[in-house]
Amino acid sequence: VQNLNNPDRLRVLGRPTDVEALISGSFATIYNGTFGTDGVAPSARTMSWENASNLANWGLGPRSSIPRPFLDNTRGNPYQTENGLDFSALSRAERSSADGINRFTLGGVTLGDNKQNARAKAFGWFCLGLAEGYLALTFDSSTVVDPYADLAIIPDLTDYNTVNVAALHALDSAVTWANTAGTATGANGFPLPNTWINGYAPTQAQFIQLAKSFKAYFRANVARTPTDRAAVLWDSVRVDAAAGITADVSVATTGTSGWVANGNQWYLYQQWGQLNAMIGGQADSTGAYDAWLAATNKFQFLIRTKDQRFPAGDTRALQITNSPAVPTGTYPILKPYFRNRATADPDAAPWSTYYDWYRFIAWYQASRVGNFPFFVKAQNDLLQAEARIRLNDFAGAATLIDLTRVANGLPQLAGVVTTGTQVVPGGAACVPHVPQAPGYTSTACGTMMDAMKWEYRLETMYVSYISQFYSGRGWGDLPDGTPLHWPVPYGEMDTRRHPFYNMGGVGNPGGAVGVGNFGY
């Protein structure tokens, strides 16, 4: 007997407008489940040197301590809520977008307009690709939901590489349907309604560019180790990134509900977050960073650099003076990115610095209402630059790196650095200064790859969902034992009647093996 009080999926998704709403709402689930939640992101940032904090909240201090601990995934662990938030949201988005595609393709649902049908399918495949791509990059395993399978089927868990392949295929399908929407009859095609990606209404061409950028991003960043990253199909990354976005893509955030970029703690500086000395010191031109590296007892030091993303000045007082209340200029040209704080310094030893990231503090002071970047052009350019370096196209890579490097006061690479082993120009004032093996107590000017990594770090800081964790593991920059991904949350494993497990820590499965590029 059909239970009319507990409707099944097929009847619930029988009305075309409901199916379109299911698909169009999937991106908000993805966005709020990554940018909008304090799940895995806060500790992933401290683990990957993006910032520093000793607080226990979200595992900031404990998970970034050295030697690296494992990610505790047992029942009742102190971060069980955070461990599950991202997995849950991304899995829900994966399911909802696949269900919507299913009804349009197998269920006979139509919106009565061929362009509108194709647009909905394109966006459904796009959201499916994003959800599966982020799951593949973040967790050791998850699911692949087949939009052509019975809606009642619960797919098994599978390894992250398989999930990533499915994500790339889904993004290919998004591009195919976007092209179909461009040629189909009807009136309701592209641009997308600006409520699907709040405040952003991409044309057909812009939508395809965004899908291509995500293909390049997922393909490069699924790598867990330097060996994995070297084996990436870099020519495919180059091709997709070259066809990718040509301007920053932002979401119109709405504060504490709706569309949320949960950046509240980024700007509560006392103890919560500060520039990590291991990364920030690479801009220093005075030798203070070398002294810090060599010191047994670490100390805060003044970073004096030609990089205009830092406040200028040879004294702390002058740098504080040159740290305006909000960065000057109009986005995306806002400088400096960091302020030398005038308030008391928090303690995040041994990584403490005087510097706070405050590039978007005006957005924060507006109650986090306004446009906030979701995928920046610089990130796409630098993915392409890395691909070109690995393909020995140093001239092409230099031009792309210079787009942000020269704009921020650093000497150009193009026509100067022509190999992978040459160091960047600038002499004692070069950026970046990179710790040197075997002791890692002194530095030398970096190579083109190091310059690319420097730009990538500064341009994606906080404006990209844990991208520095993804890239850092593939570059080999993370300390020994750093978990390379999160385990499937224990609640999901319990539901599936599988044993749960921990991940990473020195000498344990799922952790970085050996000393990283910074000596830890």
Side-chain angles (χ1 to χ4, degrees):
V1 176
Q2 189 176 36
N3 182 358
L4 299 181
N5 294 316
N6 186 23
D8 57 60
R9 277 194 176 104
L10 297 181
R11 287 199 302 115
V12 169
L13 299 178
R15 190 165 61 178
T17 52
D18 290 342
V19 178
E20 186 182 46
L22 181 70
I23 285 175
S24 65
S26 295
F27 181 84
T29 303
I30 294 168
Y31 186 80
N32 290 328
T34 52
F35 282 76
T37 182
D38 286 327
V40 306
S43 59
R45 290 194 168 103
T46 57
M47 289 158 60
S48 59
W49 310 107
E50 188 170 355
N51 67 3
S53 174
N54 279 346
L55 286 182
N57 303 63
W58 310 306
L60 294 170
R63 287 180 173 172
S64 60
S65 63
I66 295 176
R68 284 285 199 257
F70 61 84
L71 289 175
D72 187 353
N73 191 36
T74 56
R75 294 190 192 95
N77 76 80
Y79 308 114
Q80 61 183 15
T81 299
E82 290 91 334
N83 288 346
L85 289 173
D86 306 58
F87 188 93
S88 175
L90 292 169
S91 296
R92 282 187 283 110
E94 180 189 27
R95 179 79 264 178
S96 63
S97 54
D99 284 0
I101 296 166
N102 179 286
R103 293 298 80 203
F104 275 121
T105 54
L106 300 183
V109 170
T110 178
L111 294 161
D113 183 298
N114 290 334
K115 280 186 181 292
Q116 192 170 354
N117 286 338
R119 181 186 71 184
K121 293 173 188 176
F123 197 68
W125 282 108
F126 174 73
C127 291
L128 180 61
L130 260 61
E132 291 180 338
Y134 278 129
L135 284 167
L137 266 59
T138 309
F139 298 91
D140 74 311
S141 56
S142 60
T143 58
V144 173
V145 178
D146 181 1
Y148 297 105
D150 189 302
L151 297 187
I153 291 176
I154 299 174
D156 291 332
L157 294 171
T158 190
D159 66 280
Y160 64 83
N161 276 315
T162 300
V163 179
N164 197 58
V165 169
L168 298 178
H169 288 164
L171 291 171
D172 283 336
S173 294
V175 171
T176 298
W177 280 107
N179 282 320
T180 301
T183 58
T185 58
N188 296 320
F190 285 89
L192 287 181
N194 68 359
T195 55
W196 291 15
I197 300 176
N198 203 42
Y200 181 61
T203 64
Q204 175 202 29
Q206 290 170 329
F207 178 81
I208 291 172
Q209 288 171 348
L210 185 57
K212 295 281 189 179
S213 288
F214 269 108
K215 280 192 67 182
Y217 182 69
F218 290 150
R219 192 187 298 277
N221 285 297
V222 73
R224 264 49 176 186
T225 67
T227 300
D228 292 345
R229 198 164 178 104
V232 165
L233 298 177
W234 286 105
D235 195 54
S236 296
V237 174
R238 178 192 63 81
V239 170
D240 284 330
I245 59 174
T246 59
D248 293 357
V249 175
S250 296
V251 168
T253 58
T254 53
T256 57
S257 62
W259 294 80
V260 179
N262 201 11
N264 191 45
Q265 305 305 336
W266 307 343
Y267 297 100
L268 299 181
Y269 295 117
Q270 301 308 309
Q271 309 288 348
W272 293 99
Q274 57 190 288
L275 179 65
N276 193 301
M278 183 61 74
I279 297 303
Q282 294 181 23
D284 181 63
S285 62
T286 67
Y289 182 48
D290 294 60
W292 178 84
L293 289 170
T296 301
N297 296 317
K298 302 300 186 186
F299 55 90
Q300 295 180 333
F301 58 93
L302 199 66
I303 297 172
R304 284 164 283 184
T305 178
K306 292 183 180 297
D307 194 317
Q308 295 169 359
R309 289 165 288 200
F310 288 78
D314 289 331
T315 65
R316 188 173 185 193
L318 189 54
Q319 287 193 7
I320 290 172
T321 298
N322 289 329
S323 299
V326 297
T328 57
T330 303
Y331 178 78
I333 303 174
L334 293 169
K335 297 179 186 178
Y337 290 11
F338 306 98
R339 71 175 187 182
N340 193 319
R341 76 181 70 84
T343 55
D345 292 316
D347 177 23
W351 319 117
S352 298
T353 69
Y354 299 139
Y355 300 92
D356 301 321
W357 184 86
Y358 82 138
R359 186 182 179 192
F360 287 93
I361 197 167
W363 164 83
Y364 169 69
Q365 291 172 342
S367 301
R368 290 178 280 160
V369 175
N371 289 334
F372 194 85
F374 170 62
F375 202 128
V376 293
K377 177 180 179 293
Q379 186 166 26
N380 184 75
D381 292 339
L382 293 162
L383 278 170
Q384 187 187 165
E386 181 174 359
R388 290 183 179 276
I389 291 170
R390 293 181 183 271
L391 296 168
N392 295 318
D393 177 10
F394 300 108
T399 299
L400 291 162
I401 296 167
D402 281 345
L403 291 175
T404 51
R405 178 180 170 87
V406 174
N408 287 294
L410 300 178
Q412 72 177 40
L413 304 181
V416 179
V417 179
T418 57
T419 72
T421 56
Q422 283 178 271
V423 298
V424 298
C430 70
V431 177
H433 279 81
V434 181
Q436 298 296 296
Y440 303 97
T441 57
S442 63
T443 67
C445 295
T447 63
M448 185 181 291
M449 179 67 83
D450 295 316
M452 181 279 299
K453 289 163 61 175
W454 175 256
E455 295 301 317
Y456 193 91
R457 284 193 167 100
L458 267 64
E459 294 301 319
T460 63
M461 191 169 284
Y462 293 100
V463 301
S464 182
Y465 170 70
I466 67 172
S467 63
Q468 297 190 30
F469 173 79
Y470 300 145
S471 58
R473 66 189 176 191
W475 291 336
D477 290 348
L478 304 188
D480 184 23
T482 302
L484 298 175
H485 36 223
W486 263 252
V488 174
Y490 80 82
E492 178 76 13
M493 300 304 287
D494 278 347
T495 301
R496 292 175 177 272
R497 299 184 180 181
H498 295 324
F500 50 80
Y501 53 96
N502 302 322
M503 189 64 67
V506 177
N508 296 326
V513 177
V515 173
N517 291 329
F518 302 145
Y520 286 90

